Amino acid sequence: MTVRNPLMRHEWQSEIFQCKSNDISTFTSLLHTQLDRHDFTATTLGTVDGYPILACESRFYDPEKPSVLVSAGFHGEEPAGPWGLLHLLTKWEDGGPHSLNITLLPLVNPTGFLRGTRFNYNEQNPNRGFGFKDGRVLVQEDTSEEGKILIANSALLEESSRDGILTCHEDVLQTGSYLYTFEESSRPGIFSLTLLDTLKSCVALTDATEIDGLPLEGHLIHNHFDTSFESYLVQAGAKVGVCSETGARQPIDQRILANSALSATSLSKQNVRFEFSFPSWYRC
Ligand code: NI
Protein backbone atom coordinates (compact mmCIF):
# COMPACT_ATOMS: atom_id res chain seq x y z
CA MET A 1 0.00 0.00 0.00
CA THR A 2 1.32 3.45 -0.90
CA VAL A 3 1.52 5.73 2.12
CA ARG A 4 1.00 9.49 2.19
CA ASN A 5 4.13 11.47 3.06
CA PRO A 6 2.79 14.24 5.33
CA LEU A 7 5.84 16.46 4.72
CA MET A 8 6.09 16.15 0.93
CA ARG A 9 5.47 19.44 -0.88
CA HIS A 10 2.81 19.63 -3.59
CA GLU A 11 1.93 22.59 -5.78
CA TRP A 12 -0.04 23.14 -8.98
CA GLN A 13 -0.61 26.10 -11.30
CA SER A 14 -4.25 27.20 -11.51
CA GLU A 15 -5.39 28.81 -14.73
CA ILE A 16 -8.68 29.89 -13.12
CA PHE A 17 -6.90 31.99 -10.50
CA GLN A 18 -3.65 32.57 -12.45
CA CYS A 19 -1.42 31.61 -9.54
CA LYS A 20 0.18 28.68 -7.72
CA SER A 21 -2.06 26.55 -5.54
CA ASN A 22 -0.05 27.55 -2.42
CA ASP A 23 -0.14 31.34 -3.07
CA ILE A 24 -1.63 32.30 0.28
CA SER A 25 -1.40 36.06 -0.27
CA THR A 26 -3.48 35.91 -3.48
CA PHE A 27 -5.91 33.52 -1.80
CA THR A 28 -6.33 35.79 1.24
CA SER A 29 -6.75 38.94 -0.81
CA LEU A 30 -9.39 37.40 -3.15
CA LEU A 31 -11.19 35.82 -0.18
CA HIS A 32 -11.55 39.15 1.62
CA THR A 33 -12.82 40.83 -1.54
CA GLN A 34 -15.56 38.20 -1.77
CA LEU A 35 -16.40 38.26 1.96
CA ASP A 36 -16.80 42.05 1.76
CA ARG A 37 -18.91 41.76 -1.40
CA HIS A 38 -21.31 39.33 0.31
CA ASP A 39 -21.24 41.17 3.64
CA PHE A 40 -20.00 38.12 5.53
CA THR A 41 -18.64 38.61 9.05
CA ALA A 42 -15.12 37.16 9.34
CA THR A 43 -14.03 36.27 12.88
CA THR A 44 -10.49 35.16 13.74
CA LEU A 45 -10.94 32.06 15.90
CA GLY A 46 -7.20 31.95 16.63
CA THR A 47 -3.82 32.20 14.90
CA VAL A 48 -1.24 29.57 13.98
CA ASP A 49 2.31 30.84 13.40
CA GLY A 50 0.80 34.30 12.82
CA TYR A 51 -1.85 33.16 10.31
CA PRO A 52 -5.52 33.55 11.24
CA ILE A 53 -8.09 30.76 11.17
CA LEU A 54 -11.26 32.50 10.02
CA ALA A 55 -14.91 31.63 10.57
CA CYS A 56 -17.06 33.55 8.06
CA GLU A 57 -20.78 33.93 8.75
CA SER A 58 -23.53 35.07 6.43
CA ARG A 59 -25.57 38.10 7.45
CA PHE A 60 -29.08 37.97 8.90
CA TYR A 61 -28.76 34.94 11.20
CA ASP A 62 -32.21 33.46 11.76
CA PRO A 63 -32.70 30.52 14.17
CA GLU A 64 -35.64 29.34 12.02
CA LYS A 65 -33.37 28.73 9.02
CA PRO A 66 -31.19 25.62 8.55
CA SER A 67 -27.52 26.13 9.52
CA VAL A 68 -24.79 24.59 7.38
CA LEU A 69 -21.01 24.68 7.83
CA VAL A 70 -18.52 24.28 4.97
CA SER A 71 -14.86 23.82 5.89
CA ALA A 72 -11.75 23.42 3.75
CA GLY A 73 -7.98 23.32 3.91
CA PHE A 74 -7.37 20.97 6.84
CA HIS A 75 -4.56 19.33 4.85
CA GLY A 76 -2.12 21.65 3.11
CA GLU A 77 -1.50 19.43 0.08
CA GLU A 78 -5.27 19.45 -0.70
CA PRO A 79 -5.65 23.01 -2.01
CA ALA A 80 -8.67 22.53 -4.32
CA GLY A 81 -10.98 22.77 -1.26
CA PRO A 82 -10.11 26.34 -0.27
CA TRP A 83 -9.87 27.50 -3.90
CA GLY A 84 -13.16 25.75 -4.71
CA LEU A 85 -14.92 27.54 -1.87
CA LEU A 86 -13.44 30.83 -3.08
CA HIS A 87 -14.64 30.01 -6.61
CA LEU A 88 -18.18 29.52 -5.31
CA LEU A 89 -18.05 32.93 -3.58
CA THR A 90 -17.05 34.57 -6.88
CA LYS A 91 -20.15 33.03 -8.53
CA TRP A 92 -22.67 34.10 -5.91
CA GLU A 93 -24.74 37.23 -6.15
CA ASP A 94 -25.64 39.23 -3.10
CA GLY A 95 -24.63 37.05 -0.17
CA GLY A 96 -25.40 33.62 -1.58
CA PRO A 97 -28.49 31.58 -0.66
CA HIS A 98 -30.60 33.64 1.77
CA SER A 99 -32.56 30.63 2.95
CA LEU A 100 -29.68 29.28 5.08
CA ASN A 101 -27.40 30.38 7.89
CA ILE A 102 -24.00 29.79 6.27
CA THR A 103 -20.69 29.49 8.07
CA LEU A 104 -17.43 28.95 6.20
CA LEU A 105 -14.02 27.86 7.50
CA PRO A 106 -12.17 28.62 4.25
CA LEU A 107 -8.63 27.63 5.29
CA VAL A 108 -8.08 25.69 8.50
CA ASN A 109 -4.38 24.89 8.00
CA PRO A 110 -2.70 27.99 6.50
CA THR A 111 0.87 26.91 7.36
CA GLY A 112 0.40 23.59 5.56
CA PHE A 113 -1.31 25.35 2.61
CA LEU A 114 1.58 27.74 1.99
CA ARG A 115 4.12 24.91 2.22
CA GLY A 116 1.98 22.52 0.18
CA THR A 117 2.36 19.91 2.93
CA ARG A 118 -0.34 17.74 4.50
CA PHE A 119 0.58 18.58 8.10
CA ASN A 120 1.02 22.04 9.66
CA TYR A 121 4.37 23.85 10.19
CA ASN A 122 4.79 21.85 13.39
CA GLU A 123 4.20 18.47 11.70
CA GLN A 124 0.80 17.99 13.32
CA ASN A 125 -2.30 16.60 11.56
CA PRO A 126 -5.10 19.21 11.86
CA ASN A 127 -7.83 16.65 11.14
CA ARG A 128 -7.15 14.33 14.05
CA GLY A 129 -7.50 14.66 17.81
CA PHE A 130 -11.19 15.61 18.06
CA GLY A 131 -12.07 13.23 20.89
CA PHE A 132 -15.76 12.92 21.76
CA LYS A 133 -17.10 11.63 25.05
CA ASP A 134 -20.28 12.17 27.06
CA GLY A 135 -21.62 14.58 24.45
CA ARG A 136 -18.54 16.79 24.45
CA VAL A 137 -15.50 17.31 22.23
CA LEU A 138 -12.20 16.84 24.04
CA VAL A 139 -8.58 17.77 23.33
CA GLN A 140 -6.41 14.67 22.98
CA GLU A 141 -2.68 14.03 22.98
CA ASP A 142 -2.51 14.32 19.19
CA THR A 143 -4.75 17.42 18.87
CA SER A 144 -3.04 19.99 16.63
CA GLU A 145 -2.81 23.75 17.23
CA GLU A 146 -5.61 24.20 14.70
CA GLY A 147 -7.68 21.52 16.43
CA LYS A 148 -7.30 23.21 19.81
CA ILE A 149 -8.52 26.48 18.30
CA LEU A 150 -11.56 24.78 16.75
CA ILE A 151 -12.34 22.92 19.97
CA ALA A 152 -12.15 26.21 21.89
CA ASN A 153 -14.88 27.44 19.51
CA SER A 154 -16.98 24.26 19.68
CA ALA A 155 -20.22 26.05 20.64
CA LEU A 156 -20.13 28.17 17.46
CA LEU A 157 -19.12 25.25 15.23
CA GLU A 158 -21.75 22.86 16.60
CA GLU A 159 -24.51 25.45 16.21
CA SER A 160 -23.41 26.40 12.70
CA SER A 161 -23.32 22.74 11.53
CA ARG A 162 -26.68 21.77 13.07
CA ASP A 163 -28.20 20.87 9.69
CA GLY A 164 -25.07 19.76 7.86
CA ILE A 165 -21.29 19.80 7.57
CA LEU A 166 -19.25 19.60 4.37
CA THR A 167 -15.48 19.36 4.68
CA CYS A 168 -13.44 19.54 1.46
CA HIS A 169 -10.43 17.23 1.23
CA GLU A 170 -8.38 15.68 -1.57
CA ASP A 171 -6.43 12.46 -1.96
CA VAL A 172 -2.98 12.93 -3.49
CA LEU A 173 -2.64 9.19 -4.07
CA GLN A 174 -5.78 8.91 -6.21
CA THR A 175 -6.75 9.81 -9.75
CA GLY A 176 -10.43 9.16 -9.09
CA SER A 177 -12.59 10.77 -6.41
CA TYR A 178 -14.85 9.51 -3.60
CA LEU A 179 -16.77 10.64 -0.49
CA TYR A 180 -17.06 9.91 3.20
CA THR A 181 -20.71 10.45 4.12
CA PHE A 182 -22.72 10.52 7.33
CA GLU A 183 -26.47 10.11 7.66
CA GLU A 184 -28.80 8.73 10.30
CA SER A 185 -29.54 5.69 8.15
CA SER A 186 -27.08 2.81 8.06
CA ARG A 187 -27.13 2.91 4.25
CA PRO A 188 -26.31 6.02 2.18
CA GLY A 189 -29.49 8.04 1.57
CA ILE A 190 -30.49 10.91 -0.71
CA PHE A 191 -27.98 13.31 0.82
CA SER A 192 -24.99 11.02 0.15
CA LEU A 193 -26.19 10.07 -3.32
CA THR A 194 -26.88 13.68 -4.30
CA LEU A 195 -23.36 14.74 -3.34
CA LEU A 196 -21.98 11.75 -5.22
CA ASP A 197 -23.96 12.83 -8.32
CA THR A 198 -22.42 16.29 -8.07
CA LEU A 199 -18.93 14.82 -7.72
CA LYS A 200 -19.49 12.47 -10.64
CA SER A 201 -20.64 15.32 -12.88
CA CYS A 202 -17.27 17.08 -12.34
CA VAL A 203 -14.54 14.43 -12.00
CA ALA A 204 -13.96 10.72 -12.55
CA LEU A 205 -14.72 8.50 -9.56
CA THR A 206 -12.06 6.16 -8.17
CA ASP A 207 -11.79 2.51 -9.13
CA ALA A 208 -10.37 1.67 -5.69
CA THR A 209 -12.30 -0.78 -3.52
CA GLU A 210 -10.43 0.19 -0.36
CA ILE A 211 -8.99 3.47 0.97
CA ASP A 212 -6.68 3.54 4.00
CA GLY A 213 -7.91 0.07 4.97
CA LEU A 214 -11.62 1.03 4.72
CA PRO A 215 -13.89 -0.62 2.14
CA LEU A 216 -15.44 1.68 -0.49
CA GLU A 217 -18.97 0.78 -1.52
CA GLY A 218 -20.32 2.60 -4.55
CA HIS A 219 -17.52 5.20 -4.22
CA LEU A 220 -18.64 5.96 -0.64
CA ILE A 221 -17.35 5.26 2.84
CA HIS A 222 -20.49 5.60 4.95
CA ASN A 223 -20.76 6.40 8.67
CA HIS A 224 -17.12 5.82 9.52
CA PHE A 225 -16.37 7.43 12.88
CA ASP A 226 -12.84 8.39 13.97
CA THR A 227 -11.31 11.48 15.63
CA SER A 228 -11.71 13.72 12.57
CA PHE A 229 -13.46 17.10 12.64
CA GLU A 230 -16.42 15.91 10.56
CA SER A 231 -16.88 12.78 12.66
CA TYR A 232 -16.92 14.94 15.81
CA LEU A 233 -19.57 17.34 14.43
CA VAL A 234 -21.86 14.50 13.37
CA GLN A 235 -21.54 12.94 16.83
CA ALA A 236 -22.30 16.38 18.28
CA GLY A 237 -25.59 16.53 16.35
CA ALA A 238 -25.07 17.59 12.73
CA LYS A 239 -27.93 15.96 10.82
CA VAL A 240 -25.78 15.04 7.82
CA GLY A 241 -22.09 15.19 6.99
CA VAL A 242 -19.82 14.73 4.02
CA CYS A 243 -16.06 14.73 3.58
CA SER A 244 -15.23 15.02 -0.10
CA GLU A 245 -12.02 13.55 -1.51
CA THR A 246 -11.10 14.71 -5.00
CA GLY A 247 -8.35 12.64 -6.63
CA ALA A 248 -5.39 15.04 -6.77
CA ARG A 249 -3.86 13.34 -9.81
CA GLN A 250 -6.48 15.18 -11.87
CA PRO A 251 -5.84 18.77 -13.10
CA ILE A 252 -6.13 21.36 -10.33
CA ASP A 253 -8.78 23.49 -12.06
CA GLN A 254 -11.08 20.52 -12.54
CA ARG A 255 -10.70 19.74 -8.84
CA ILE A 256 -11.43 23.38 -7.94
CA LEU A 257 -14.67 23.28 -9.97
CA ALA A 258 -15.63 20.00 -8.31
CA ASN A 259 -15.14 21.48 -4.83
CA SER A 260 -17.08 24.58 -5.82
CA ALA A 261 -19.97 22.43 -7.07
CA LEU A 262 -19.92 20.24 -3.94
CA SER A 263 -20.07 23.35 -1.75
CA ALA A 264 -22.95 24.74 -3.81
CA THR A 265 -24.86 21.49 -3.45
CA SER A 266 -24.32 21.37 0.31
CA LEU A 267 -25.48 24.95 0.58
CA SER A 268 -28.75 24.53 -1.24
CA LYS A 269 -31.75 24.61 1.05
CA GLN A 270 -33.36 22.06 -1.23
CA ASN A 271 -30.56 19.66 -0.49
CA VAL A 272 -30.73 20.17 3.25
CA ARG A 273 -34.40 19.29 2.88
CA PHE A 274 -33.44 16.38 0.65
CA GLU A 275 -34.81 17.87 -2.55
CA PHE A 276 -31.94 18.47 -4.89
CA SER A 277 -31.58 21.16 -7.51
CA PHE A 278 -28.25 21.64 -9.25
CA PRO A 279 -27.15 25.24 -9.89
CA SER A 280 -27.71 25.96 -13.59
CA TRP A 281 -24.42 27.85 -14.05
CA TYR A 282 -22.20 24.83 -13.37
CA ARG A 283 -20.36 23.39 -16.32
CA CYS A 284 -17.82 21.02 -14.85
NI1 NI B 1 -7.33 15.36 3.77
Side-chain angles (χ1 to χ4, degrees):
M1 189 169 78
T2 320
V3 177
R4 286 182 193 84
N5 177 347
L7 306 179
M8 188 188 279
R9 290 173 183 253
H10 297 261
E11 69 171 44
W12 295 268
Q13 174 70 28
S14 166
E15 297 309 318
I16 295 175
F17 289 102
Q18 293 285 301
C19 66
K20 299 273 191 208
S21 57
N22 61 348
D23 183 345
I24 197 166
S25 57
T26 298
F27 177 80
T28 304
S29 153
L30 293 175
L31 176 67
H32 282 284
T33 301
Q34 293 304 323
L35 294 174
D36 288 348
R37 187 166 80 86
H38 296 303
D39 205 11
F40 268 52
T41 305
T43 306
T44 300
L45 301 183
T47 59
V48 175
D49 199 28
Y51 291 93
I53 298 182
L54 296 180
C56 311
E57 294 171 89
S58 55
R59 57 188 160 164
F60 307 133
Y61 176 83
D62 177 350
E64 297 298 314
K65 294 182 196 170
S67 295
V68 179
L69 174 67
V70 178
S71 61
F74 274 83
H75 291 138
E77 94 290 30
E78 303 174 5
W83 289 109
L85 200 45
L86 175 58
H87 178 267
L88 177 63
L89 293 175
T90 67
K91 293 288 177 189
W92 274 350
E93 286 169 15
D94 189 27
H98 293 188
S99 51
L100 295 175
N101 300 311
I102 297 170
T103 304
L104 311 174
L105 297 176
L107 181 56
V108 171
N109 175 10
T111 65
F113 181 88
L114 69 93
R115 287 168 176 79
T117 59
R118 182 173 184 78
F119 287 180
N120 69 10
Y121 77 117
N122 226 0
E123 300 185 15
Q124 297 170 320
N125 183 350
N127 202 32
R128 283 292 178 272
F130 295 89
F132 196 80
K133 201 175 170 203
D134 300 328
R136 291 190 56 198
V137 64
L138 300 167
V139 169
Q140 296 187 314
E141 213 166 277
D142 63 347
T143 307
S144 63
E145 277 184 57
E146 295 80 3
K148 286 177 185 163
I149 289 168
L150 296 178
I151 289 172
N153 289 279
S154 59
L156 167 74
L157 297 171
E158 290 172 22
E159 173 61 24
S160 62
S161 63
R162 208 178 45 206
D163 294 278
I165 158 77
L166 162 67
T167 188
C168 299
H169 283 251
E170 300 203 85
D171 189 332
V172 290
L173 301 179
Q174 294 291 324
T175 304
S177 301
Y178 58 95
L179 300 174
Y180 291 83
T181 55
F182 300 86
E183 290 186 72
E184 239 173 59
S185 53
S186 60
R187 302 291 304 164
I190 303 258
F191 175 77
S192 302
L193 299 174
T194 300
L195 269 293
L196 190 64
D197 271 352
T198 299
L199 186 66
K200 194 164 62 179
S201 70
C202 300
V203 286
L205 301 180
T206 184
D207 296 330
T209 54
E210 186 186 287
I211 298 283
D212 298 337
L214 301 170
L216 266 176
E217 279 184 52
H219 314 287
L220 298 173
I221 297 168
H222 188 64
N223 286 350
H224 169 71
F225 290 93
D226 52 21
T227 67
S228 65
F229 180 65
E230 58 275 17
S231 179
Y232 141 55
L233 286 178
V234 171
Q235 290 176 88
K239 284 181 192 153
V240 289
V242 57
C243 166
S244 58
E245 297 275 358
T246 39
R249 291 183 176 171
Q250 294 283 350
I252 182 75
D253 287 323
Q254 197 179 348
R255 290 148 47 201
I256 288 171
L257 291 173
N259 279 276
S260 175
L262 288 164
S263 303
T265 302
S266 295
L267 291 173
S268 70
K269 187 178 182 185
Q270 290 90 341
N271 192 43
V272 171
R273 292 188 168 178
F274 302 148
E275 294 161 29
F276 175 61
S277 75
F278 198 71
S280 58
W281 43 268
Y282 271 110
R283 298 283 179 272
C284 287

